[in-house]
Amino acid sequence: MINTINLVRLKEIMDRANCGEELTIGFLGGSITQGSLASQHENTYAYQVFRWWNQTFPKAKFYYVNGGIGGTSSHYGVARAVSDLLMYQPDFVVVDFSVNDTADSFFQETYEGLVRKILAWDSKPAVVLLHNVFYDTGLSAQKYHQAVGEWYHLPCISIRDTVYQRVKTGELKRIELTPDGLHPNDQGHQLVAAEIIHFLEKVKVCVLDGAILVEGWEYGTEELPAAFTANRYEQAKRLTIQNCSPKLLGFFADTEEKMGHLDAFKNGWIGKRARDRIVFEVKGSCIALQYRKSVQKPALCAIAILDGNQEQAFLLDGNFEEDWGDCQYLQVLLHHGENKVHQVEVEILPTEKKEAVAFYLMGVIVA
Protein backbone atom coordinates (compact mmCIF):
# COMPACT_ATOMS: atom_id res chain seq x y z
CA MET A 1 0.00 0.00 0.00
CA ILE A 2 1.39 3.39 -1.02
CA ASN A 3 1.54 6.10 1.61
CA THR A 4 -0.56 9.09 0.60
CA ILE A 5 1.37 12.37 0.71
CA ASN A 6 -0.52 15.64 1.02
CA LEU A 7 1.25 18.29 -1.07
CA VAL A 8 -1.06 21.20 -0.30
CA ARG A 9 1.39 23.01 2.00
CA LEU A 10 4.41 22.34 -0.17
CA LYS A 11 2.51 23.70 -3.18
CA GLU A 12 1.64 26.83 -1.25
CA ILE A 13 5.22 27.54 -0.15
CA MET A 14 6.59 26.88 -3.63
CA ASP A 15 3.96 29.17 -5.16
CA ARG A 16 4.92 31.90 -2.68
CA ALA A 17 8.63 31.36 -3.30
CA ASN A 18 8.03 31.53 -7.05
CA CYS A 19 6.31 34.89 -6.54
CA GLY A 20 9.32 36.27 -4.65
CA GLU A 21 8.00 36.33 -1.09
CA GLU A 22 10.06 36.16 2.12
CA LEU A 23 10.07 32.66 3.64
CA THR A 24 11.72 30.87 6.55
CA ILE A 25 13.29 27.42 6.19
CA GLY A 26 13.63 25.57 9.52
CA PHE A 27 15.19 22.39 10.88
CA LEU A 28 14.70 20.64 14.23
CA GLY A 29 16.61 17.58 15.35
CA GLY A 30 19.71 16.18 16.99
CA SER A 31 23.42 16.27 16.24
CA ILE A 32 23.12 15.44 12.53
CA THR A 33 20.83 18.41 12.04
CA GLN A 34 23.11 20.56 14.19
CA GLY A 35 25.87 19.59 11.76
CA SER A 36 28.10 17.17 13.64
CA LEU A 37 31.24 16.09 11.72
CA ALA A 38 30.67 18.43 8.78
CA SER A 39 33.84 20.43 8.14
CA GLN A 40 31.82 23.65 8.09
CA HIS A 41 28.17 24.45 8.59
CA GLU A 42 27.64 25.25 4.91
CA ASN A 43 28.36 21.57 4.20
CA THR A 44 25.64 20.22 6.50
CA TYR A 45 22.57 18.59 4.98
CA ALA A 46 20.39 21.31 6.49
CA TYR A 47 22.27 24.20 4.93
CA GLN A 48 22.45 22.41 1.58
CA VAL A 49 18.65 22.07 1.60
CA PHE A 50 18.37 25.75 2.53
CA ARG A 51 20.75 26.56 -0.36
CA TRP A 52 18.49 24.60 -2.73
CA TRP A 53 15.57 26.87 -1.87
CA ASN A 54 17.72 29.94 -2.54
CA GLN A 55 19.04 28.66 -5.85
CA THR A 56 15.72 27.28 -7.06
CA PHE A 57 13.70 30.40 -6.30
CA PRO A 58 16.07 33.34 -6.85
CA LYS A 59 13.32 35.97 -6.63
CA ALA A 60 12.43 34.96 -3.06
CA LYS A 61 14.17 35.93 0.19
CA PHE A 62 14.86 33.01 2.52
CA TYR A 63 15.78 32.94 6.21
CA TYR A 64 17.50 29.97 7.87
CA VAL A 65 16.70 28.53 11.31
CA ASN A 66 18.62 25.49 12.58
CA GLY A 67 17.25 24.10 15.85
CA GLY A 68 19.47 21.03 15.97
CA ILE A 69 20.95 20.08 19.37
CA GLY A 70 23.20 17.04 19.68
CA GLY A 71 22.13 14.15 21.89
CA THR A 72 18.50 15.23 22.22
CA SER A 73 15.25 13.40 21.55
CA SER A 74 11.76 14.38 20.42
CA HIS A 75 10.76 14.44 24.10
CA TYR A 76 12.98 17.48 24.52
CA GLY A 77 12.15 18.61 20.99
CA VAL A 78 8.43 18.98 21.62
CA ALA A 79 9.13 21.04 24.75
CA ARG A 80 11.58 23.40 23.02
CA ALA A 81 9.93 23.59 19.60
CA VAL A 82 8.51 27.08 20.17
CA SER A 83 11.70 28.72 21.48
CA ASP A 84 14.09 27.02 19.05
CA LEU A 85 11.98 26.92 15.88
CA LEU A 86 8.35 27.96 15.83
CA MET A 87 8.74 31.48 17.18
CA TYR A 88 10.53 32.28 13.92
CA GLN A 89 7.32 31.42 12.01
CA PRO A 90 8.81 28.80 9.68
CA ASP A 91 7.21 28.05 6.32
CA PHE A 92 9.07 24.77 5.73
CA VAL A 93 10.41 22.40 8.41
CA VAL A 94 12.52 19.23 8.38
CA VAL A 95 12.19 17.10 11.55
CA ASP A 96 15.01 14.68 12.40
CA PHE A 97 14.94 12.52 15.57
CA SER A 98 14.97 8.91 14.33
CA VAL A 99 18.44 8.07 15.66
CA ASN A 100 17.91 9.93 18.95
CA ASP A 101 14.55 8.44 19.86
CA THR A 102 14.32 4.83 21.02
CA ALA A 103 12.15 2.64 18.82
CA ASP A 104 9.17 2.36 21.17
CA SER A 105 5.69 3.70 21.84
CA PHE A 106 6.88 6.34 24.33
CA PHE A 107 8.94 8.17 21.74
CA GLN A 108 6.30 7.61 19.10
CA GLU A 109 3.98 9.64 21.32
CA THR A 110 6.48 12.43 21.99
CA TYR A 111 7.32 12.50 18.27
CA GLU A 112 3.65 12.79 17.33
CA GLY A 113 3.25 15.60 19.84
CA LEU A 114 6.11 17.44 18.14
CA VAL A 115 4.74 16.86 14.64
CA ARG A 116 1.25 18.03 15.66
CA LYS A 117 2.65 21.11 17.39
CA ILE A 118 4.48 22.11 14.21
CA LEU A 119 1.56 21.37 11.90
CA ALA A 120 -0.85 23.35 14.11
CA TRP A 121 1.44 26.41 14.32
CA ASP A 122 0.07 29.68 12.94
CA SER A 123 2.54 29.82 10.04
CA LYS A 124 1.21 26.45 8.75
CA PRO A 125 4.60 25.11 7.69
CA ALA A 126 5.08 22.32 5.19
CA VAL A 127 6.74 19.45 7.08
CA VAL A 128 9.18 16.80 5.86
CA LEU A 129 10.22 13.96 8.18
CA LEU A 130 13.83 12.79 7.93
CA HIS A 131 14.77 9.32 9.17
CA ASN A 132 18.53 8.96 9.68
CA VAL A 133 20.12 5.63 10.57
CA PHE A 134 22.96 3.90 12.42
CA TYR A 135 25.06 2.79 9.45
CA ASP A 136 26.65 -0.22 11.18
CA THR A 137 23.36 -1.77 12.28
CA GLY A 138 20.54 -0.19 10.25
CA LEU A 139 18.77 0.69 13.51
CA SER A 140 16.54 3.73 13.96
CA ALA A 141 13.08 4.67 15.19
CA GLN A 142 11.88 4.91 11.59
CA LYS A 143 9.13 2.30 11.99
CA TYR A 144 7.49 4.27 14.81
CA HIS A 145 8.12 7.68 13.29
CA GLN A 146 7.00 6.70 9.81
CA ALA A 147 3.69 5.46 11.21
CA VAL A 148 3.13 9.00 12.49
CA GLY A 149 4.15 10.44 9.15
CA GLU A 150 1.73 8.20 7.29
CA TRP A 151 -1.07 9.15 9.67
CA TYR A 152 -0.58 12.83 8.78
CA HIS A 153 0.20 12.16 5.09
CA LEU A 154 3.66 13.67 5.39
CA PRO A 155 6.67 12.92 3.20
CA CYS A 156 9.21 10.68 4.94
CA ILE A 157 12.80 10.71 3.67
CA SER A 158 14.43 7.46 4.76
CA ILE A 159 18.22 7.23 4.80
CA ARG A 160 17.92 3.59 5.84
CA ASP A 161 15.96 2.80 2.67
CA THR A 162 18.29 4.76 0.38
CA VAL A 163 21.87 5.62 1.34
CA TYR A 164 22.19 2.78 3.84
CA GLN A 165 21.10 0.24 1.23
CA ARG A 166 23.89 1.47 -1.03
CA VAL A 167 26.31 0.91 1.84
CA LYS A 168 25.00 -2.63 2.37
CA THR A 169 25.50 -3.54 -1.29
CA GLY A 170 29.04 -2.15 -1.27
CA GLU A 171 28.29 0.66 -3.69
CA LEU A 172 29.26 3.10 -0.94
CA LYS A 173 31.83 2.53 1.81
CA ARG A 174 30.58 3.35 5.29
CA ILE A 175 33.92 4.72 6.47
CA GLU A 176 33.90 7.24 3.61
CA LEU A 177 30.51 8.64 4.72
CA THR A 178 30.65 8.50 8.50
CA PRO A 179 33.73 7.81 10.64
CA ASP A 180 31.68 6.77 13.68
CA GLY A 181 28.85 4.90 11.97
CA LEU A 182 26.28 7.60 12.70
CA HIS A 183 27.31 11.20 12.07
CA PRO A 184 27.90 12.02 8.41
CA ASN A 185 31.04 13.74 7.19
CA ASP A 186 30.82 16.21 4.30
CA GLN A 187 30.13 13.45 1.78
CA GLY A 188 27.56 11.86 4.07
CA HIS A 189 25.76 15.16 4.61
CA GLN A 190 25.73 15.67 0.85
CA LEU A 191 24.04 12.31 0.35
CA VAL A 192 21.42 13.05 3.01
CA ALA A 193 20.73 16.44 1.47
CA ALA A 194 20.49 14.86 -1.99
CA GLU A 195 17.63 12.60 -0.86
CA ILE A 196 15.63 15.56 0.46
CA ILE A 197 16.43 17.70 -2.58
CA HIS A 198 15.49 14.87 -4.96
CA PHE A 199 12.06 14.77 -3.34
CA LEU A 200 11.66 18.56 -3.46
CA GLU A 201 12.66 18.63 -7.14
CA LYS A 202 10.00 16.04 -7.95
CA VAL A 203 7.42 18.07 -6.04
CA LYS A 204 8.41 21.24 -7.87
CA VAL A 205 7.96 19.57 -11.25
CA CYS A 206 4.45 18.55 -10.22
CA VAL A 207 3.17 21.65 -8.45
CA LEU A 208 4.83 24.35 -10.57
CA ASP A 209 5.56 22.73 -13.93
CA GLY A 210 2.26 20.88 -14.25
CA ALA A 211 3.57 17.32 -14.38
CA ILE A 212 1.25 14.48 -13.43
CA LEU A 213 1.33 13.79 -9.69
CA VAL A 214 3.32 10.80 -8.51
CA GLU A 215 1.10 7.91 -7.44
CA GLY A 216 0.04 8.47 -3.85
CA TRP A 217 0.53 12.25 -3.98
CA GLU A 218 -2.50 14.49 -3.65
CA TYR A 219 -3.70 17.96 -2.65
CA GLY A 220 -5.52 17.10 0.55
CA THR A 221 -7.15 19.00 3.37
CA GLU A 222 -5.33 21.22 5.90
CA GLU A 223 -7.39 19.81 8.75
CA LEU A 224 -5.49 17.75 11.34
CA PRO A 225 -6.87 14.27 11.97
CA ALA A 226 -7.49 12.90 15.45
CA ALA A 227 -4.28 11.91 17.21
CA PHE A 228 -2.60 8.61 16.39
CA THR A 229 -1.37 8.02 19.97
CA ALA A 230 -2.63 9.15 23.37
CA ASN A 231 -0.93 12.46 22.46
CA ARG A 232 -0.19 13.73 25.96
CA TYR A 233 2.90 15.66 24.82
CA GLU A 234 1.65 18.07 22.15
CA GLN A 235 1.32 20.88 24.71
CA ALA A 236 4.51 19.99 26.58
CA LYS A 237 6.34 22.94 28.10
CA ARG A 238 9.75 23.34 29.64
CA LEU A 239 10.10 25.13 32.97
CA THR A 240 13.31 27.06 33.64
CA ILE A 241 14.25 30.13 35.68
CA GLN A 242 12.57 32.19 32.95
CA ASN A 243 9.06 30.94 33.70
CA CYS A 244 9.17 29.11 37.03
CA SER A 245 9.92 30.01 40.67
CA PRO A 246 10.46 26.84 42.72
CA LYS A 247 11.28 26.80 46.41
CA LEU A 248 15.06 27.01 46.77
CA LEU A 249 16.46 25.22 49.81
CA GLY A 250 20.16 25.32 49.01
CA PHE A 251 19.89 25.27 45.22
CA PHE A 252 20.33 28.63 43.51
CA ALA A 253 19.36 30.04 40.11
CA ASP A 254 22.05 30.24 37.43
CA THR A 255 22.60 33.95 36.76
CA GLU A 256 24.72 33.54 33.63
CA GLU A 257 23.00 34.73 30.47
CA LYS A 258 22.05 32.09 27.90
CA MET A 259 23.62 32.80 24.51
CA GLY A 260 21.53 30.94 21.94
CA HIS A 261 19.88 27.52 21.90
CA LEU A 262 23.22 25.66 21.86
CA ASP A 263 24.31 27.30 25.12
CA ALA A 264 22.64 24.44 26.93
CA PHE A 265 23.59 24.67 30.57
CA LYS A 266 22.02 28.03 31.38
CA ASN A 267 18.66 29.20 32.79
CA GLY A 268 18.69 26.33 35.29
CA TRP A 269 19.38 25.72 38.98
CA ILE A 270 22.62 24.66 40.66
CA GLY A 271 23.20 22.48 43.71
CA LYS A 272 26.69 22.30 45.20
CA ARG A 273 26.33 20.73 48.65
CA ALA A 274 24.90 17.56 50.10
CA ARG A 275 21.25 18.00 51.11
CA ASP A 276 20.73 21.07 48.91
CA ARG A 277 17.10 20.87 47.82
CA ILE A 278 14.69 22.40 45.32
CA VAL A 279 10.92 21.88 45.30
CA PHE A 280 8.50 22.40 42.40
CA GLU A 281 4.72 22.41 42.25
CA VAL A 282 3.72 21.51 38.67
CA LYS A 283 0.46 20.48 37.01
CA GLY A 284 0.31 17.70 34.45
CA SER A 285 0.11 13.98 33.81
CA CYS A 286 3.62 13.61 32.36
CA ILE A 287 6.69 14.98 34.16
CA ALA A 288 10.40 14.71 33.44
CA LEU A 289 13.51 16.33 34.90
CA GLN A 290 16.31 17.49 32.63
CA TYR A 291 19.77 17.65 34.15
CA ARG A 292 23.42 17.59 33.17
CA LYS A 293 25.41 14.38 33.05
CA SER A 294 29.02 15.55 33.09
CA VAL A 295 32.05 13.99 31.42
CA GLN A 296 34.11 15.64 34.15
CA LYS A 297 34.14 13.24 37.07
CA PRO A 298 33.27 12.97 39.82
CA ALA A 299 29.98 14.82 39.58
CA LEU A 300 27.37 15.19 42.28
CA CYS A 301 24.31 12.96 42.19
CA ALA A 302 20.80 13.65 43.44
CA ILE A 303 17.48 11.98 43.99
CA ALA A 304 14.08 13.10 42.72
CA ILE A 305 11.00 12.46 44.85
CA LEU A 306 7.55 12.68 43.28
CA ASP A 307 4.63 13.53 45.58
CA GLY A 308 6.61 12.62 48.70
CA ASN A 309 7.10 8.98 47.69
CA GLN A 310 10.63 8.48 49.01
CA GLU A 311 10.49 4.70 48.58
CA GLN A 312 10.34 5.17 44.81
CA ALA A 313 12.86 8.00 44.50
CA PHE A 314 14.65 8.40 41.17
CA LEU A 315 18.45 8.52 41.05
CA LEU A 316 19.83 11.47 39.08
CA ASP A 317 23.44 10.48 38.38
CA GLY A 318 25.48 13.52 37.32
CA ASN A 319 28.28 11.36 35.86
CA PHE A 320 28.27 10.64 32.11
CA GLU A 321 30.02 7.49 30.90
CA GLU A 322 30.34 8.64 27.28
CA ASP A 323 33.14 10.93 26.12
CA TRP A 324 31.53 13.10 23.43
CA GLY A 325 30.45 15.87 25.82
CA ASP A 326 28.06 16.69 28.62
CA CYS A 327 24.62 15.15 28.17
CA GLN A 328 21.28 16.96 28.50
CA TYR A 329 19.67 13.97 30.18
CA LEU A 330 15.94 13.51 30.64
CA GLN A 331 14.61 11.43 33.55
CA VAL A 332 10.93 10.58 33.27
CA LEU A 333 9.17 10.76 36.64
CA LEU A 334 5.56 10.37 35.49
CA HIS A 335 4.03 9.13 32.24
CA HIS A 336 0.25 9.07 31.78
CA GLY A 337 -0.30 9.69 35.46
CA GLU A 338 -3.08 11.65 37.12
CA ASN A 339 -3.45 15.13 35.67
CA LYS A 340 -3.16 17.24 38.80
CA VAL A 341 -0.70 19.38 40.73
CA HIS A 342 2.32 17.28 41.68
CA GLN A 343 5.22 18.03 43.98
CA VAL A 344 8.71 17.35 42.61
CA GLU A 345 11.62 17.53 45.05
CA VAL A 346 15.30 17.19 44.13
CA GLU A 347 17.95 16.66 46.79
CA ILE A 348 21.73 16.40 46.43
CA LEU A 349 23.19 13.15 47.78
CA PRO A 350 26.18 13.08 50.13
CA THR A 351 29.55 12.16 48.62
CA GLU A 352 33.01 11.40 49.92
CA LYS A 353 34.56 12.87 46.78
CA LYS A 354 36.14 16.28 47.15
CA GLU A 355 35.60 19.02 44.56
CA ALA A 356 32.84 17.13 42.74
CA VAL A 357 31.22 18.87 39.77
CA ALA A 358 28.08 20.75 40.80
CA PHE A 359 24.68 19.26 40.01
CA TYR A 360 22.98 21.25 37.24
CA LEU A 361 19.21 21.00 36.92
CA MET A 362 18.31 22.32 33.48
CA GLY A 363 14.54 22.30 33.81
CA VAL A 364 11.30 20.41 34.20
CA ILE A 365 9.26 19.21 31.22
CA VAL A 366 5.56 18.99 31.94
CA ALA A 367 2.72 17.80 29.71
Side-chain angles (χ1 to χ4, degrees), residues 269-328:
W269 298 272
I270 301 169
K272 289 189 171 182
R273 302 180 304 273
R275 305 307 179 193
D276 280 355
R277 296 164 55 221
I278 184 171
V279 181
F280 300 85
E281 300 283 342
V282 297
K283 187 178 188 300
S285 62
C286 303
I287 302 171
L289 292 177
Q290 186 177 36
Y291 68 97
R292 178 180 63 195
K293 280 183 174 287
S294 175
V295 294
Q296 300 181 42
K297 301 182 181 71
L300 289 174
C301 298
I303 56 171
I305 301 169
L306 180 65
D307 295 330
N309 188 352
Q310 297 189 21
E311 293 184 358
Q312 295 186 13
F314 298 83
L315 176 64
L316 310 177
D317 187 347
N319 299 279
F320 193 37
E321 299 308 319
E322 301 289 342
D323 59 5
W324 48 261
D326 289 353
C327 174
Q328 303 176 55

Side-chain angles (χ1 to χ4, degrees), residues 88-235:
Y88 301 106
Q89 306 302 325
D91 300 286
F92 172 84
V93 173
V94 175
V95 179
D96 160 44
F97 283 106
S98 292
V99 291
N100 293 57
D101 284 2
T102 304
D104 60 29
S105 59
F106 173 83
F107 283 107
Q108 185 176 60
E109 184 176 353
T110 60
Y111 186 77
E112 182 187 28
L114 171 60
V115 169
R116 285 184 69 92
K117 180 173 283 190
I118 297 171
L119 288 173
W121 195 250
D122 289 344
S123 61
K124 301 295 182 186
V127 175
V128 170
L129 305 182
L130 173 62
H131 306 316
N132 276 299
V133 68
F134 286 91
Y135 287 87
D136 289 332
T137 62
L139 295 177
S140 80
Q142 175 176 317
K143 174 183 175 182
Y144 289 86
H145 288 183
Q146 187 157 328
V148 173
E150 291 177 358
W151 186 258
Y152 293 95
H153 305 294
L154 298 174
C156 299
I157 308 300
S158 169
I159 302 306
R160 188 187 70 184
D161 296 347
T162 53
V163 178
Y164 174 67
Q165 295 305 315
R166 296 168 66 188
V167 172
K168 285 183 65 178
T169 62
E171 178 187 348
L172 298 171
K173 293 183 179 180
R174 192 278 278 173
I175 193 64
E176 295 177 352
L177 309 182
T178 166
D180 64 0
L182 173 61
H183 301 96
N185 56 20
D186 286 352
Q187 183 180 352
H189 274 282
Q190 184 177 9
L191 290 169
V192 173
E195 294 300 327
I196 301 172
I197 290 170
H198 176 67
F199 167 75
L200 293 174
E201 289 279 9
K202 288 171 62 178
V203 172
K204 176 181 174 291
V205 169
C206 291
V207 304
L208 293 184
D209 301 339
I212 297 174
L213 290 181
V214 174
E215 184 181 2
W217 292 8
E218 65 179 19
Y219 299 121
T221 177
E222 290 260 12
E223 184 177 349
L224 287 181
F228 179 70
T229 68
N231 191 38
R232 298 283 182 89
Y233 289 88
E234 182 179 351
Q235 303 303 323

Side-chain angles (χ1 to χ4, degrees), residues 27 32-33 41 44-51 64 66 189 193:
F27 301 83
I32 296 176
T33 292
H41 194 77
T44 64
Y45 91 82
Y47 200 86
Q48 291 182 63
V49 172
F50 171 68
R51 186 185 298 125
Y64 176 67
N66 189 314
H189 274 282

Side-chain angles (χ1 to χ4, degrees), residues 236-256:
K237 59 183 178 180
R238 183 167 176 261
L239 306 178
T240 68
I241 64 171
Q242 293 184 319
N243 56 6
C244 180
S245 297
K247 183 181 296 185
L248 302 179
L249 302 168
F251 271 78
F252 59 93
D254 183 0
T255 59
E256 291 193 35

